[in-house]
Amino acid sequence: MSEILEKRKKQIRRKGAGPYEMTCEKHSLAGAVSQRACVFCGSRVVLYPIADALHLIHGPVGCAAYTWDIRGALSSGPQLHRRSFTTDLREQDVIHGGEKKLYQCLKELIAYYRPKAVFVYSTCIVGVIGDDVEAVCRQVSRETGLTVISVASEGFKGTKKDGYRAACRALSELVGTGDISSISPFSLNILGDFNIAGETWAIREYYRRMGIEVVSTITGDGRVEDIRRAHGARLNVVQCSGSMVHLAREMKEKYGIPYIHVSYFGLQDMSKALYDVAEFFQDAAAMQKARRLVREEIDRVLPELMRIRTDVQGKKAGIYTGGAFKAFSLVASLRMLGIRTAFVGSQTGSPDDYKRLEEFCDPGTIIVDDANTMELVRFSQETEIDLLIGGVKERPVAYKLGIGFCDHNHERKISLAGFEGMLHFAQEVHASVMSPVWKLIDRKNINVGNA
Amino acid sequence: MLLRHTTSEIKERSALTINPAKTCQPIGAMYAALGIHRCLPHSHGSQGCCAYHRSTLTRHYKEPVMASTSSFTEGSAVFGGQSNLLQAIHNIFSIYEPDVIAIHTTCLSETIGDDIPQIIATARDKKYIPDGRYVIHANTPSYVGSHVTGFSNMVKGMVTYFAEPGTQTKTINIIPGWVEPSDMREIKRICYMMGIEIILFPDTSDVLDCPQTGRFEFYPKGGTTIEELKAAGRSRMTLALGRSASVAAARELDSKCKVACEVMELPIGLRATDQFVDTLRRVARVEVPTLLEDERGRLMDMMTDMHQYFAGRRVALWGDPDQLVSLTEFLVDLDMRPVYIVTGTPGKKFLSRIEKALRGKVPEAKVQEGPCSDMFLLHQWIKQEKVDLLIGNTYGKYISRDEDIPLLRYGFPILDRIGHSYFPSVGYVGAMRLLEKILGLLMDRQDRDAPEESFELVM
Ligand code: SF4
Ligand code: SF4
């Protein structure tokens, strides 16, 4: 394999090698086999879980087809979000503009489904042909009395992160439009948890046990009416550094609602999240309940975790996540299982994330921004890891190398958040790393292949 | 329930697509390009498309799928993607060292009108393309056609760029259409049994169904080589399997290199395989070996053993045109009734091909292609009058669940099962597998529904 390109050098770093210096938030190199996605992807991810809204994708069929129900963001009620609606632009529309078709689609869909609100996503091509999506949305809003929100998510306008921003902008049109008179002073919004495999439900339950009202869970099992009332909550609890921080910031400015960052992954981070919330409310009862909850939950999962640890300790792992925030929790969780992290990569980490990661990781750990497949393969082999944590596209790569795998991305099917989630994580890691199949592969001849 | 909003009342729709029964061109081009040895598909557009196409192919084939992207930014959307593509070509050859870069466009680069051949020429002038390496392309605007169109365009591109006329050889070209790697492997096996020398392109076997060796090959060992693609221009003739996916390339070979072509349906089911084998026999002037005749005989044996269970069963089908045509013919031979057939891929010829496959035996059949031919429409039809079996890709699982009808996963994409890409559905052996699966589904259902007193050991 050829050497890592000169230009990529500053996006890869080995902890302990000289003073800290690292660049990120760069556009991917043209021609790279990059794992990154687009603005539309980011918007779709954040807004997808709003289950009683109608999500219409304005563009050619592909953008809609590829995002049709691929995320396991569960809903406890309506399932409207799981369908795939698209204006399916054809050549004629590209030439003459797609506004009329969009208008017609919206009218037909609204009449048929009577959703609580509508999100219209613009894809690349809409940006190029210059449809005035805003105007169409406004008109349909006027005619139907429904909130129809245009999400400016043209793919080429940036990365997934910019999509988060566009989604937050769309959400802020809903926030502040509902009645908040009955909301408790001990109340919060859960932001940035996607209810994969029911994770939001578990977190919600923790807060309930602490006596705190959850007003809205926007990005997991979300509802339009709840989001309208979100400004009535006293606190925004934001998980995942990238996706929802814009909304939290805006709500702070507009409504004076403070926000805190948390992670729900791993025993430490989960406990800290609950303590931070209790501390915020400065309520002795809530803190006491949080302490009891943490003690009970840890007592419940710890014996099994320790048993798993005896099997897997000493193994090595590589991590490749979307945002960098999750990486911290993962490094800590693996540490708890006696597994050392050999490298950490992310698609969209911020300078702060990487700086903190550097501090957090063991010496020698490789830290990489916008990692591509070849780099992942190379690091995996150099460091001889036993486990790769990544997403859809990384799974078969790990398997080809004869390495265990754990999906910590949106394709995971088991909940990994919360105390119970840590147990599930350990069980999954154990099942994969300890599988007898790896022993059946001849790994003597490992090399990078013919590239 | 998930689709409880779907009612049986058919509502006239003018514009809307709900739950599409197709996807966009570039993914087909990407799949086709992976069937060239040491080829890196390149998506000329924004990162998102490429990421989605790779993810979808990965989910279906459970294999690493490599492809690069021009990583468009706002600037490229305004000023065109030339500089991105030039830089990309330069970078790809120096980092990934492919033999071929196969560029396909996306909606975005099509709409802004990048002239790919001109950009490739510039790259050559600038010496970005090393000697003995190649850059080919296909235009794949997604607002035209479907993923099948994209596949077809890229296969045609292979001919345009590589096929060289010359002294005729005895080799036969086979363009397999968009089928699984296992199907391509099966086509090769049949030809090998018959002692026929072929050039199969594209060929994704050993690319997207690689043996696990503990190594990661950026370029797996499979794929049609450049030499073969060049030599395709000197072959005796071309068999194009499946009109939608393969005819364009076959025609191009004919006009460019005077290689005659015969078009036939995909060899799925008994008749279509017969036709395939017979054509091979005729054009290669060989005998059909006993081994292959025995395979046919075993398939016939299965069909006779099973026919009593199939009679009159109603089936709904969706997916890609070529598969649907051959499957329909096979189902009719089994005395089943393919009553609803839907493809999102537009193409008027589809209707007459299906009509031919139905042979007038299923007058109640409803067939639709193109705009508004989606899973929503299919579901509405099923609500009006039920079927006994669904055959199509993963997206049918919602209908399957809502209406409690067994689903045979078939076609692209299959996102929720593993193994489909390892077993062929073409040839006699493929037909046997289909039969086993279909009957298994129907009987599992019968067992499940049987009241205690009529639940039987022997069926
Ligand atoms: S923009 Fe076009 S090419 Fe890209 S995913 Fe959407 S439909 Fe496909
Ligand atoms: S066309 Fe644009 S919006 Fe659609 S997937 Fe591609 S990059 Fe994203």
Side-chain angles (χ1 to χ4, degrees):
Chain A
M1 191 195 292
S2 19
E3 281 311 294
I4 307 274
L5 213 78
E6 217 25 49
K7 287 180 189 152
R8 290 269 306 139
K9 260 193 176 157
K10 286 197 168 150
Q11 284 168 274
I12 300 168
R13 153 125 194 115
R14 199 177 285 266
K15 171 161 179 177
Y20 181 82
E21 183 202 10
M22 189 161 169
T23 27
C24 56
E25 296 183 323
K26 282 181 38 161
H27 274 293
S28 297
L29 215 53
V33 179
S34 166
Q35 311 293 78
R36 279 178 167 171
C38 65
V39 181
F40 165 67
C41 175
S43 301
R44 190 82 174 104
V45 164
V46 170
L47 299 175
Y48 172 82
I50 304 172
D52 53 358
L54 193 136
H55 303 265
L56 173 64
I57 296 166
H58 186 32
V61 71
C63 308
Y66 302 119
T67 51
W68 177 8
D69 205 23
I70 55 169
R71 296 177 64 84
L74 306 186
S75 162
S76 54
Q79 305 282 349
L80 189 55
H81 65 309
R82 300 181 61 185
R83 318 201 62 185
S84 176
F85 301 108
T86 169
T87 49
D88 188 4
L89 291 182
R90 315 303 302 168
E91 198 158 23
Q92 284 310 307
D93 310 316
V94 173
I95 298 165
H96 302 298
E99 289 174 21
K100 253 208 229 118
K101 196 170 187 186
L102 173 62
Y103 172 80
Q104 215 147 17
C105 281
L106 281 170
K107 293 289 284 237
E108 285 179 21
L109 276 170
I110 289 169
Y112 195 84
Y113 289 100
R114 293 178 230 297
K116 288 281 195 285
V118 182
F119 294 97
V120 179
Y121 303 76
S122 296
T123 59
C124 282
I125 205 156
V126 173
V128 177
I129 63 178
D131 280 359
D132 190 347
V133 178
E134 287 268 8
V136 176
C137 289
R138 245 180 287 132
Q139 189 186 346
V140 176
S141 246
R142 245 193 335 266
E143 289 172 17
T144 59
L146 264 185
T147 311
V148 182
I149 300 171
S150 148
V151 188
S153 53
E154 292 88 345
F156 60 83
K157 291 198 169 152
T159 64
K160 208 166 159 180
K161 265 183 157 176
D162 302 290
Y164 297 151
R165 198 183 298 263
C168 288
R169 219 173 291 132
L171 280 168
S172 68
E173 287 188 37
L174 279 181
V175 174
T177 56
D179 171 34
I180 57 171
S181 51
S182 60
I183 292 172
S184 147
F186 297 99
S187 56
L188 54 76
N189 298 309
I190 299 177
L191 307 186
D193 188 87
F194 293 98
N195 202 32
I196 309 284
E199 289 174 341
T200 311
W201 297 332
I203 307 299
R204 213 190 165 112
E205 176 62 15
Y206 294 152
Y207 289 133
R208 194 197 57 78
R209 281 163 70 182
M210 286 168 61
I212 293 167
E213 179 184 346
V214 176
V215 179
S216 72
T217 57
I218 301 174
T219 54
D221 202 10
R223 295 293 180 280
V224 172
E225 289 311 320
D226 295 343
I227 299 168
R228 290 189 188 280
R229 301 167 71 232
H231 61 300
R234 296 302 160 89
L235 175 66
N236 276 332
V237 184
V238 185
Q239 142 142 313
C240 174
S241 57
S243 70
M244 291 300 286
V245 73
H246 312 292
L247 184 67
R249 265 191 217 133
E250 193 186 312
M251 286 173 72
K252 186 171 176 199
E253 272 166 36
K254 240 184 177 162
Y255 308 103
I257 303 171
Y259 64 91
I260 55 172
H261 276 295
V262 298
S263 162
Y264 298 126
F265 297 109
L267 300 186
Q268 275 169 11
D269 288 356
M270 183 65 238
S271 312
K272 185 168 182 302
L274 298 182
Y275 293 148
D276 286 355
V277 167
E279 202 156 293
F280 168 84
F281 287 110
Q282 304 218 319
D283 179 52
M287 184 53 99
Q288 208 182 359
K289 283 181 194 155
R291 288 223 175 84
R292 185 168 349 117
L293 189 157
V294 169
R295 205 178 320 116
E296 280 171 16
E297 292 293 322
I298 290 186
D299 280 352
R300 213 150 56 89
V301 298
L302 204 57
E304 179 62 6
L305 284 176
M306 288 303 108
R307 206 196 54 72
I308 289 173
R309 185 190 157 100
T310 54
D311 284 347
V312 300
Q313 65 185 341
K315 303 279 183 192
K316 268 183 285 180
I319 299 174
Y320 183 67
T321 58
F325 196 67
K326 205 158 58 183
F328 294 99
S329 304
L330 281 170
V331 173
S333 299
L334 289 168
R335 227 177 237 163
M336 153 146 230
L337 296 173
I339 297 176
R340 192 172 84 71
T341 301
F343 67 86
V344 191
S346 126
Q347 281 176 47
T348 54
S350 69
D352 276 359
D353 293 336
Y354 290 121
K355 186 102 209 293
R356 276 186 55 212
L357 255 184
E358 161 101 4
E359 286 157 19
F360 193 69
C361 290
D362 298 327
T365 307
I366 299 167
I367 299 167
V368 49
D369 175 54
D370 187 20
N372 59 48
T373 309
M374 281 197 0
E375 287 164 0
L376 290 178
V377 168
R378 178 170 153 159
F379 297 144
S380 299
Q381 294 188 319
E382 268 179 17
T383 57
E384 296 184 337
I385 54 169
D386 307 277
L387 172 75
L388 183 68
I389 299 182
V392 199
K393 294 193 285 283
E394 287 76 55
R395 182 189 291 271
V397 175
Y399 289 168
K400 276 282 179 287
L401 293 169
I403 294 171
F405 185 80
C406 169
D407 195 322
H408 210 289
N409 212 327
H410 61 239
E411 212 143 288
R412 59 184 188 265
K413 301 299 168 208
I414 51 167
S415 66
L416 300 176
F419 301 101
E420 193 76 17
M422 175 64 198
L423 185 56
H424 296 159
F425 174 68
Q427 285 164 339
E428 179 161 25
V429 166
H430 185 270
S432 194
V433 165
M434 303 305 287
S435 170
V437 297
W438 310 125
K439 297 227 169 70
L440 302 172
I441 304 163
D442 176 11
R443 288 183 63 180
K444 282 194 292 287
N445 295 323
I446 287 184
N447 69 47
V448 188
N450 55 359
Chain B
M1 266 196 192
L2 198 54
L3 292 172
R4 64 169 185 263
H5 297 288
T6 308
T7 56
S8 58
E9 158 218 0
I10 304 279
K11 210 184 153 297
E12 275 310 309
R13 280 185 282 159
S14 56
L16 186 60
T17 294
I18 307 176
N19 300 346
K22 64 166 176 190
T23 185
C24 65
Q25 284 211 42
I27 198 169
M30 192 182 276
Y31 179 61
L34 289 165
I36 303 176
H37 184 58
R38 290 186 61 83
C39 173
L40 188 68
H42 178 82
S43 166
H44 186 49
S46 326
Q47 285 180 341
C49 308
C50 187
Y52 281 132
H53 302 151
R54 288 178 62 207
S55 297
T56 305
L57 290 172
T58 303
R59 289 185 178 112
H60 177 88
Y61 294 102
K62 312 287 180 221
E63 291 283 324
V65 173
M66 296 302 138
S68 51
T69 152
S70 292
S71 301
F72 270 31
T73 56
E74 196 131 19
S76 345
V78 178
F79 302 113
Q82 163 143 353
S83 70
N84 282 58
L85 188 52
L86 285 174
Q87 199 200 349
I89 291 173
H90 183 59
N91 286 338
I92 291 167
F93 278 123
S94 50
I95 308 172
Y96 304 107
E97 299 171 353
D99 286 355
V100 190
I101 300 174
I103 302 168
H104 58 261
T105 53
T106 60
C107 298
L108 183 53
S109 54
E110 275 297 322
T111 312
I112 59 182
D114 281 341
D115 180 351
I116 309 293
Q118 176 264 316
I119 300 175
I120 295 175
T122 310
R124 178 155 295 116
D125 292 345
K126 288 183 180 275
K127 308 249 175 294
Y128 285 176
I129 307 173
D131 288 343
R133 310 292 179 85
Y134 302 87
V135 180
I136 69 172
H137 96 286
N139 288 96
T140 50
S142 297
Y143 40 83
V144 180
S146 78
H147 56 290
V148 181
T149 325
F151 180 92
S152 163
N153 286 340
M154 184 52 84
V155 182
K156 182 181 169 200
M158 294 174 195
V159 175
T160 315
Y161 277 92
F162 291 120
E164 289 173 354
T167 321
Q168 203 184 68
T169 62
K170 62 179 180 20
T171 309
I172 291 169
N173 300 323
I174 300 183
I175 307 176
W178 185 332
V179 290
E180 296 281 335
S182 50
D183 292 318
M184 302 193 187
R185 196 184 292 288
E186 178 65 9
I187 289 167
K188 287 191 286 187
R189 190 186 68 95
I190 292 173
C191 294
Y192 178 77
M193 272 201 285
M194 296 178 75
I196 303 172
E197 220 173 275
I198 61 161
I199 294 172
L200 182 79
F201 72 94
D203 180 4
T204 56
S205 63
D206 280 321
V207 178
L208 288 168
D209 62 351
C210 277
Q212 150 58 285
T213 57
R215 298 197 304 178
F216 169 77
E217 310 277 359
F218 197 84
Y219 302 109
K221 65 179 173 182
T224 315
T225 63
I226 308 293
E227 282 317 306
E228 288 175 302
L229 287 173
K230 286 181 177 169
R234 302 188 293 274
S235 293
R236 171 168 347 144
M237 70 166 313
T238 305
L239 293 189
L241 309 185
R243 180 167 292 278
S244 320
S246 302
V247 165
R251 291 267 153 78
E252 179 73 7
L253 259 174
D254 193 355
S255 64
K256 186 177 172 194
C257 307
K258 304 276 166 295
V259 181
C261 73
E262 269 194 47
V263 182
M264 63 190 61
E265 297 298 349
L266 284 178
I268 297 169
L270 184 83
R271 271 171 207 260
T273 306
D274 277 352
Q275 202 206 344
F276 176 59
V277 171
D278 196 53
T279 308
L280 284 172
R281 179 194 59 77
R282 178 166 47 79
V283 300
R285 296 182 206 103
V286 294
E287 300 273 297
V288 177
T290 320
L291 278 177
L292 198 56
E293 276 183 355
D294 286 352
E295 279 181 16
R296 183 184 195 276
R298 283 194 296 274
L299 169 61
M300 262 327 301
D301 194 46
M302 256 179 111
M303 285 171 71
T304 41
D305 290 348
M306 288 179 172
H307 84 277
Q308 53 171 328
Y309 304 104
F310 289 142
R313 299 298 197 113
R314 291 162 53 86
V315 190
L317 307 163
W318 64 95
D320 299 348
D322 297 342
Q323 273 83 353
L324 290 175
V325 169
S326 297
L327 265 180
T328 298
E329 185 185 58
F330 190 37
L331 294 175
V332 169
D333 278 330
L334 297 169
D335 204 13
M336 296 180 91
R337 308 191 77 75
V339 283
Y340 308 135
I341 305 167
V342 166
T343 182
T345 300
K348 291 285 169 251
K349 285 208 179 103
F350 177 69
L351 300 177
S352 57
R353 287 162 74 200
I354 287 285
E355 207 165 297
K356 198 167 150 230
L358 288 166
R359 301 201 299 284
K361 301 240 168 111
V362 193
E364 73 272 33
K366 292 184 182 177
V367 188
Q368 195 169 314
E369 52 79 36
C372 300
S373 307
D374 50 31
M375 303 300 289
F376 185 79
L377 172 78
L378 186 74
H379 197 174
Q380 287 188 312
W381 284 350
I382 291 170
K383 285 230 178 235
Q384 290 181 337
E385 199 178 346
K386 272 215 172 191
V387 294
D388 303 296
L389 180 69
L390 306 171
I391 302 182
N393 63 25
T394 284
Y395 293 118
K397 75 189 287 182
Y398 306 111
I399 302 178
S400 169
R401 181 182 160 95
D402 271 7
E403 306 300 329
D404 198 13
I405 302 169
L407 164 64
L408 170 64
R409 284 171 177 74
Y410 187 84
F412 178 86
I414 295 173
L415 310 170
D416 60 341
R417 292 294 185 274
I418 298 178
H420 48 84
S421 56
Y422 293 88
F423 301 99
S425 62
V426 302
Y428 301 120
V429 172
M432 289 165 79
R433 176 164 178 267
L434 286 175
L435 284 181
E436 192 210 356
K437 289 214 145 199
I438 292 174
L439 189 59
L441 284 168
L442 293 175
M443 288 195 159
D444 283 350
R445 182 60 204 267
Q446 195 180 326
D447 272 340
R448 204 200 72 192
D449 291 349
E452 194 87 21
E453 64 277 12
S454 46
F455 178 76
E456 290 196 79
L457 180 71
V458 180
M459 288 169 82

